[in-house]
């Protein structure tokens, strides 16, 4: 079983580590570095985000520049006293269990948890070493990652990538446990240890035939969510929706919206869209992680996005936005990936 998992992760490039998969991108990064004379040229892409939203940026600061009507209800926990009062403050804000807890700094779903009750909340907060964000759990059935950019010298932007998220699930046969069902799928089996550590109570359940069991409620690729290439949804109407939304967020030009919405009609009408997170220059065109995506097409699309990032960054720089000093940024990069 162990060797099968290892082989699957090698054979399926979508599971490669970040540093390995990005090797071709490093050459283009170096090319842009030479042209701009700045290793961190992309820091100018989003002037309102620390380092443009590259690494280790505080989510709280980003949420503060987003109009509240686009966000779920949330509470910021910044000290021990607030930890003790977190449940009561959340209730006062209209946040009920289950809720989402996440660290103020973190990427790729690290530290994000669905909290079901006060006891779980206390355990989570007791273990937390960073400031914490508590968010209302949004039950809208559709979840998308939408990659957007707008050149600073232009009035109309563009959507370049859409993924619809398919959560990690198994379907019951009426006789097998959840654990056994997981082992029947090469992909799902990769996450057995994660589910055992996070949701052990579901592993020995026997779902009835045809019943779907959700194994991970957080829509992150590293937790088993499938990112389905949904670029066919892009049209002028949707671009207009995200143009209007983006222009309400000062200093934002390049990044990915992680949203939930009740229906496709609401999405195209720009109604009832809840923004779970807004990512900056560390965003990826997540459709490249569709299991059916050809690796050469994935690199083509990824490098196109870096070309756009270069254009956005250099235009902002020409308009007076400075590049961050490498003497400040490089030690942060080293510390982040230690």
């Amino acid at each position: 079983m162990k060797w099968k998992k290892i082989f699957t992760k090698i054979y399926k490039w979508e599971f490669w580590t970040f540093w390995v998969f990005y090797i071709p991108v490093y050459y283009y990064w170096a090319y842009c570095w030479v042209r701009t004379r700045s290793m961190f040229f992309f820091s100018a892409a989003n002037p309102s985000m620390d380092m443009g939203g590259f690494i280790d940026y505080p989510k709280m600061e980003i949420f503060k520049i987003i109009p509240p009507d686009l966000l779920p209800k949330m509470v910021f926990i910044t000290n021990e006293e607030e930890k003790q009062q977190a449940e009561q403050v959340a209730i006062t804000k209209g946040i009920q269990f289950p809720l989402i807890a996440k660290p103020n700094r973190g990427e790729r779903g690290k530290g994000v948890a669905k909290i079901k009750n006060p006891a779980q909340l206390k355990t989570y907060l007791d273990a937390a070493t960073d400031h914490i964000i508590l968010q209302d759990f949004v039950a809208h059935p559709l979840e998308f990652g939408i990659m957007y950019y707008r050149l600073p010298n232009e009035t109309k932007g563009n959507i370049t990538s859409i993924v619809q998220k398919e959560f990690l699930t198994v379907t019951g046969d009426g006789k097998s446990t959840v654990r056994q069902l997981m082992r029947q799928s090469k992909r799902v089996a990769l996450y057995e240890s994660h589910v055992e550590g996070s949701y052990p109570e579901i592993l020995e359940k026997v779902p009835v035939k045809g019943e779907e069991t959700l194994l991970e409620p957080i829509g992150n690729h590293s937790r088993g969510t499938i990112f389905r290439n949904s670029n066919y949804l892009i049209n002028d109407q949707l671009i207009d929706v995200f143009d209007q939304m983006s222009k309400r967020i000062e200093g934002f030009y390049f990044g990915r919206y992680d949203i939930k919405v009740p229906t496709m009609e609401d999405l195209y009408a720009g109604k009832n869209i809840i923004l779970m997170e807004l990512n900056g220059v560390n965003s990826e065109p997540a459709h490249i992680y569709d299991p059916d995506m050809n690796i050469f097409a994935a690199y083509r699309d990824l490098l196109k996005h870096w070309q756009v990032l270069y254009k956005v960054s250099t235009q902002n720089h020409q308009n007076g936005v400075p590049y961050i000093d490498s003497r400040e940024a490089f030690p942060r990069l080293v510390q982040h990936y230690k």
Side-chain angles (χ1 to χ4, degrees):
M1 179 66 72
K2 181 179 179 180
W3 285 108
K4 285 183 179 179
K5 291 181 180 180
I6 293 173
F7 178 77
T8 299
K9 287 189 174 183
I10 294 173
Y11 174 72
K12 297 290 287 182
W13 62 267
E14 64 170 302
F15 297 115
W16 292 356
T17 62
F18 171 85
W19 290 108
V20 172
F21 178 63
Y22 263 67
I23 287 174
V25 178
Y26 302 152
Y27 293 98
Y28 186 73
W29 182 355
Y31 167 75
C32 295
W33 178 356
V34 171
R35 291 199 65 181
T36 61
R37 299 181 182 178
S38 172
M39 182 179 183
F40 297 92
F41 68 92
F42 42 75
S43 63
N46 296 312
S48 59
M49 295 184 182
D50 182 28
M51 294 182 69
F54 176 46
I55 54 167
D56 203 34
Y57 55 90
K59 295 183 177 74
M60 290 180 184
E61 296 306 310
I62 295 177
F63 286 135
K64 287 177 181 178
I65 66 172
I66 298 172
D69 61 287
L70 299 176
L71 297 170
K73 300 169 187 173
M74 65 177 68
V75 172
F76 298 152
I77 307 297
T78 62
N79 56 51
E80 289 300 320
E81 182 179 352
E82 290 177 349
K83 282 184 180 181
Q84 301 303 318
Q85 301 173 357
E87 181 185 354
Q88 187 57 46
V89 173
I91 292 172
T92 302
K93 292 279 188 178
I95 302 174
Q96 304 291 331
F97 292 102
L99 54 81
I100 297 296
K102 60 181 67 174
N104 186 37
R105 299 174 188 267
E107 303 168 9
R108 299 174 181 262
K110 183 179 179 181
V112 181
K114 183 179 180 181
I115 306 296
K116 296 180 180 179
N117 54 55
Q120 286 186 359
L121 179 60
K122 184 178 186 307
T123 300
Y124 182 94
L125 293 177
D126 286 346
T129 57
D130 188 11
H131 296 169
I132 296 298
I133 300 168
L134 304 182
Q135 287 183 335
D136 195 23
F137 177 73
V138 179
H140 293 342
L142 301 179
E143 184 165 346
F144 296 96
I146 297 183
M147 193 79 188
Y148 170 91
Y149 79 90
R150 178 170 64 86
L151 295 176
N153 295 342
E154 298 183 1
T155 58
K156 187 171 179 60
N158 204 359
I159 293 173
T160 54
S161 173
I162 298 182
V163 292
Q164 184 165 3
K165 299 182 180 183
E166 293 182 7
F167 291 85
L168 190 67
T169 61
V170 290
T171 302
D173 59 10
K175 55 185 179 181
S176 302
T177 65
V178 168
R179 187 190 299 274
Q180 290 169 334
L181 291 169
M182 290 185 69
R183 292 178 176 177
Q184 292 170 19
S185 165
K186 288 182 180 179
R187 182 188 183 89
V188 178
L190 296 173
Y191 301 95
E192 182 180 343
S193 60
H194 168 71
V195 175
E196 187 163 37
S198 301
Y199 315 104
E201 68 278 4
I202 68 174
L203 284 173
E204 302 310 317
K205 291 184 177 179
V206 179
V208 299
K209 188 173 183 178
E211 178 188 357
E212 279 199 351
T213 299
L214 179 66
L215 304 175
E216 172 54 67
I218 306 300
N220 191 275
H221 186 266
S222 65
R223 298 193 183 191
T225 299
I226 295 177
F227 286 178
R228 290 296 182 193
N229 183 350
S230 300
N231 287 349
Y232 65 90
L233 297 174
I234 300 172
N235 60 25
D236 287 340
Q237 184 179 358
L238 193 61
I239 292 171
D240 286 342
V241 167
F242 281 86
D243 259 339
Q244 294 173 27
M245 189 183 301
S246 300
K247 289 174 183 178
R248 298 178 64 197
I249 304 172
E250 185 178 356
F252 172 71
Y253 295 94
F254 180 98
R256 191 184 70 244
Y257 288 92
D258 289 336
I259 66 165
K260 286 188 174 185
V261 65
T263 66
M264 292 303 300
E265 291 76 16
D266 283 333
L267 179 64
Y268 283 112
K271 295 167 51 181
N272 302 316
I273 296 173
I274 301 296
L275 176 54
M276 308 307 296
E277 281 201 11
L278 180 65
N279 303 281
V281 299
N282 66 344
S283 303
E284 298 172 292
H287 73 273
I288 66 175
Y289 293 110
D290 186 308
D292 298 326
M293 191 75 171
N294 178 283
I295 189 170
F296 298 106
Y299 277 130
R300 176 200 65 203
D301 290 355
L302 183 58
L303 288 169
K304 281 182 179 178
H305 280 76
W306 271 78
Q307 291 169 354
V308 168
L309 179 57
Y310 171 80
K311 291 179 181 179
V312 171
S313 302
T314 53
Q315 278 196 17
N316 265 333
H317 185 64
Q318 290 164 4
N319 293 337
V321 179
Y323 300 134
I324 191 171
D325 192 316
S326 296
R327 290 170 295 182
E328 175 190 347
F330 188 73
R332 292 176 60 183
L333 177 65
V334 173
Q335 182 65 32
H336 180 73
Y337 286 109
K338 266 187 177 181

